[in-house]
Amino acid sequence: QVQFVESGGGLVQPGGSLRLSCAGSGSIINILTMGWYRQAPGKQRELVAFIFSGGITNYLESVKGRFTISRDGAKNTVYLQMNSLKPEDTAVYYCNKYVPDDRYWGQGTQVTVSS
């Protein structure tokens, strides 16, 4: 019954910012370790960031200092704030459990960083 819906992507110039949202179908999202993933053209899907239910976070080395994962329990939502975006950040971004459940990969949200 777990469902996640990604939103917030778009086209931005290098150096720009976007805030992605992952809305859960219920409050269960607040007690799960959640991750943001991305898949760029011609590349495998990779884990970008994750957040434990207790708030501890970790990041892909290439996004450290630029991306921030967070959650708002009242809104049943996990966020990914992306700053100083680079063309290599271009990908479809997905959210799922840190240990993904294949039933709940959604459409993702497209992030394109280009001049």
Side-chain angles (χ1 to χ4, degrees):
Q1 291 185 309
V2 177
Q3 294 183 6
F4 308 116
V5 179
E6 303 94 341
S7 63
L11 191 155
V12 296
Q13 297 183 61
S17 297
L18 285 172
R19 189 192 196 196
L20 307 184
S21 297
C22 173
S25 60
S27 62
I28 190 171
I29 191 174
N30 300 323
I31 61 172
L32 296 171
T33 299
M34 293 291 299
W36 279 99
Y37 305 79
R38 69 185 181 188
Q39 187 164 24
K43 296 184 178 180
Q44 296 185 94
R45 184 171 58 213
E46 63 183 350
L47 178 65
V48 177
F50 63 88
I51 183 168
F52 290 103
S53 61
I56 296 173
T57 60
N58 209 345
Y59 300 89
L60 182 68
E61 187 68 27
S62 63
V63 309
K64 285 182 178 178
R66 300 189 297 119
F67 290 12
T68 303
I69 187 170
S70 62
R71 72 199 325 150
D72 186 333
K75 297 181 179 179
N76 299 335
T77 300
V78 175
Y79 301 98
L80 185 68
Q81 178 67 45
M82 305 185 296
N83 299 324
S84 302
L85 283 161
K86 303 175 180 180
E88 53 263 43
D89 295 318
T90 295
V92 178
Y93 284 71
Y94 303 88
C95 63
N96 208 325
K97 295 187 291 182
Y98 173 62
V99 179
D101 189 324
D102 286 342
R103 294 175 294 177
Y104 304 120
W105 291 112
Q107 294 181 353
T109 186
Q110 176 71 51
V111 172
T112 302
V113 185
S114 177
S115 298

